[in-house]
Amino acid sequence: MKLQSAAAYLAAVSLLVEDCNAYSNSIGSSKTSFVAQNSFQFGLWKGANNNNNKNNGALQMYLTSSTTSRSTTSSSTKTKDVTKLGDLLIPSLGCGTISWSSNRLTELENWEIRSLISTACSENAAFFDTAERYGGNIKTALGMGWGDTERMLQKHLSEAQVITSSSSGNSKTNANNNKKLLDPIVATKFTPSPWRSSAQSVVEACEQSRIRLGVDQIDLYQIHMPDIVQPLKFLGMGDNKDEMYWDGLAECYHRGLVKNVGVCNYGPTLVMKCQEALARRGVPLASNQIAYSLIGRHNGAQETVDKCNELGVKVLAYYPFAMGLLTGKYSSSSSSIFADASASPSRKTKLEKSDLQKYKIDPLLTVLERIAEKRGKSVAQVALNYIICKGAIPIPGSRTEAQFVENIGAMGWRLTNTEIAMLELEADELSVGFDGAGFKRTSEKFVGYGVEKWRLD
């Protein structure tokens, strides 16, 4: 960790000098002393022993310099901050739906979510990530909510009068303002389980998801996790079905049920194996969804992002806020003026809140707050933008329109290399990585008979 921090420090110094030199050149040679003065000041960041003063030199220099201007972009994303995923052009930030639930036990109705979806479509930010097993109310806990979130998404997309058919193409014109808008993109997932023991089971599940979503083709169909649910493994009767599921994905693709296929929670080795297996059947691997954030780059996460970027496989990042830690909600100074709509209201359990408060990240939050102040953004928006800058697509969950609007404020601008280096330097200094809270973990899942784990290796 020390070597990593030292390398990050040297990189940060180099980048800061580079930025300062650029600024110096822009204002003339008479100001060249600015570089030396502030490069020395940056050294104070590492030179102070008192944690309360550790960042004062660098942060003060950062705040008073002109190398990074305050963001002037509004929350509107009609300028299309987009990226490529497979053959799709999609927003650079998605919307997770795992926490969605109906306001009624017997009907799929939620007016807040309907407003969220309508806003997403009008703001060129309609990329929704769901799954067949998602459903936020008591029915899911009792095993009866299977597919509810997919159905709710379809219902409210239709009510928002948005074209979801693949025959419409991937863009349209808003009749009210003549703006070119992207069609909504929907990703869903197949859940591996012991009773799904063939490639045909993937095809059948895909057909059901396609019907619930009301589309001819699913934009992105993903395997939710490696085949870790092995209840008889302790008896030596484990039967890994990953390759069988990959065949199922390929069959879905060739039958025209899906436009793109992806996986979730795969490390570099499994991603390469899957990509090679699909390639033999003429199917490209479009995406890999993993837990990834500024404090979630350990345990193979960063290596996975790097390998996926190298292979042309887009990473979707869940837990981009580290369950709220990177919004400042669970810090010792949670009353900060930088609190935002992404941080509330909370539905976390007492156990989750207790675990989250064990993560001591106040020094990192200080840097996030200063960058947010400089940029005219929120801490949460800076945390999301960091992920975009690393080549991944953050998938923050949103239950309300206000949360969603807050999140898409991370689009339309980018952190500088210096800011990224500052954040990584401080995050590495924490010597702590986010692994989850309560029963929600980044690399394990409770599966009824116990807990099963996976590794990003």
Side-chain angles (χ1 to χ4, degrees), residues 8-26 31-45 58 61-62 65 67-68 416-419 421-422:
Y9 169 62
L10 291 174
V13 170
S14 175
L15 289 167
L16 187 59
V17 170
E18 181 180 313
D19 279 1
C20 290
N21 275 323
Y23 173 67
S24 176
N25 291 335
S26 71
K31 300 291 186 179
T32 52
S33 61
F34 174 88
V35 177
Q37 175 185 345
N38 288 293
S39 296
F40 171 77
Q41 195 173 20
F42 185 81
L44 297 180
W45 192 339
M61 184 282 298
Y62 171 77
S65 73
T67 57
T68 304
T416 66
N417 289 337
T418 299
E419 291 167 328
M422 290 167 64

Side-chain angles (χ1 to χ4, degrees), residues 1 4 291-302 317-331 355-368 379 382-384 386-387 390 420 422-437 442:
M1 181 63 73
Q4 184 179 7
Y292 182 72
S293 69
L294 181 56
I295 57 172
R297 295 175 290 125
H298 63 306
N299 292 342
Q302 187 60 58
Y318 67 91
Y319 287 148
F321 294 135
M323 291 180 67
L325 286 171
L326 293 174
T327 68
K329 184 174 182 181
Y330 300 98
S331 73
D355 283 351
L356 288 170
Q357 288 169 351
K358 295 175 183 177
Y359 292 97
K360 306 301 182 183
I361 66 167
D362 281 3
L364 174 60
L365 288 174
T366 297
V367 180
L368 280 164
V379 167
V382 173
L384 292 174
Y386 169 82
I387 294 172
K390 300 299 285 187
I420 292 170
M422 290 167 64
L423 290 170
E424 291 181 343
L425 171 63
E426 198 60 60
D428 291 342
E429 283 288 297
L430 296 174
S431 298
V432 62
F434 176 72
D435 295 311
T442 60

Side-chain angles (χ1 to χ4, degrees), residues 197-209:
S197 56
S198 67
Q200 183 60 26
S201 64
V202 181
V203 176
E204 292 170 356
C206 180
E207 281 278 19
Q208 292 302 309
S209 285

